[in-house]
Amino acid sequence: MNKILYFNGCSWPEGSELNDLYSEGECKDRCSSLLSSKLGYDEINESSAGKSHQDIIEETINFAYKNKTKSEDIIINVWLTSPERMWFYYGDKPFTLSPWMILQGNCPHQTDESDWKEMKSDVIKFTKLWTTYFHNQKFFLHQYIRDVLLLYNTLQSLGYKFLITNAFYNF
């Protein structure tokens, strides 16, 4: 089995900010590709622009458990995103809480375009109420810290070499 360098995160580890070098789906000059090549590892990159914090944690933990028998041959690199990027639901339809996008009327990342047409008006109203009356940094940070500890403890207990990077906040 070849050694694997696994990445997960939002647009930065996906490479989408590299504009000229990025073509939909993959960027050959993103850090995960360059580092994998330099180390002689196979690259797995599950990053995606606008991915929620919850998705990054859940996907990484699922990958770790699925591949736990190969943990000695895998390095996991997780780039955490903004704690505010959380899934909310309009009925059974998920949307990523991205207030700046929603309040401009734009479909939030990771939200289905056809669902957005149906929920847009109500979600904009909800977001205005949320940001005015309910948004509290502690709300997001408490969950964020619990998730990071869960990820850290899971990866450590399964014997992985890993790096968890916080690209948005300095604690």
Side-chain angles (χ1 to χ4, degrees):
M1 177 195 144
N2 292 338
K3 293 190 176 208
I4 295 171
L5 183 59
Y6 173 88
F7 270 70
N8 203 339
C10 58
S11 61
W12 293 2
E14 179 192 35
S16 62
E17 274 80 13
L18 297 174
N19 297 334
D20 296 341
L21 304 173
Y22 180 79
S23 62
E24 194 61 41
E26 187 172 341
C27 177
K28 302 250 185 265
D29 291 326
R30 63 186 177 192
C31 64
S32 60
S33 297
L34 296 173
L35 188 56
S36 295
S37 176
K38 181 141 181 100
L39 294 174
Y41 280 51
D42 291 339
E43 172 194 13
I44 296 177
N45 190 325
E46 293 189 316
S47 303
S48 179
K51 186 180 272 189
S52 75
H53 174 71
Q54 293 155 304
D55 280 345
I56 294 167
I57 299 291
E58 184 178 322
E59 286 177 2
T60 303
I61 289 173
N62 287 340
F63 175 86
Y65 273 108
K66 181 180 168 188
N67 294 284
K68 65 184 178 183
T69 61
K70 308 171 213 165
S71 64
E72 290 185 14
D73 294 321
I74 299 172
I75 298 174
I76 294 179
N77 192 321
V78 179
W79 293 30
L80 300 174
T81 191
S82 169
E84 287 87 359
R85 273 197 196 150
M86 293 182 65
W87 281 111
F88 278 76
Y89 291 85
Y90 180 83
D92 64 344
K93 296 175 172 76
F95 67 92
T96 302
L97 182 65
S98 295
W100 66 271
M101 291 183 80
I102 292 169
L103 295 176
Q104 292 178 359
N106 299 324
C107 179
H109 294 297
Q110 307 296 317
T111 302
D112 187 87
E113 288 279 349
S114 61
D115 289 343
W116 179 242
K117 290 176 186 172
E118 175 188 339
M119 65 172 119
K120 180 178 178 178
S121 176
D122 289 339
V123 170
I124 289 173
K125 289 175 192 171
F126 165 78
T127 304
K128 285 178 183 177
L129 287 170
W130 177 266
T131 57
T132 302
Y133 298 108
F134 304 107
H135 185 278
N136 180 313
Q137 198 66 19
K138 281 186 177 183
F139 172 82
F140 295 106
L141 291 179
H142 285 186
Q143 183 62 45
Y144 189 77
I145 291 167
R146 283 192 299 268
D147 288 346
V148 170
L149 290 172
L150 173 64
L151 178 62
Y152 178 89
N153 288 331
T154 299
L155 297 178
Q156 186 177 47
S157 71
L158 294 174
Y160 284 97
K161 295 177 280 270
F162 62 93
L163 175 65
I164 301 172
T165 304
N166 181 332
F168 277 82
Y169 292 95
N170 292 322
F171 293 109

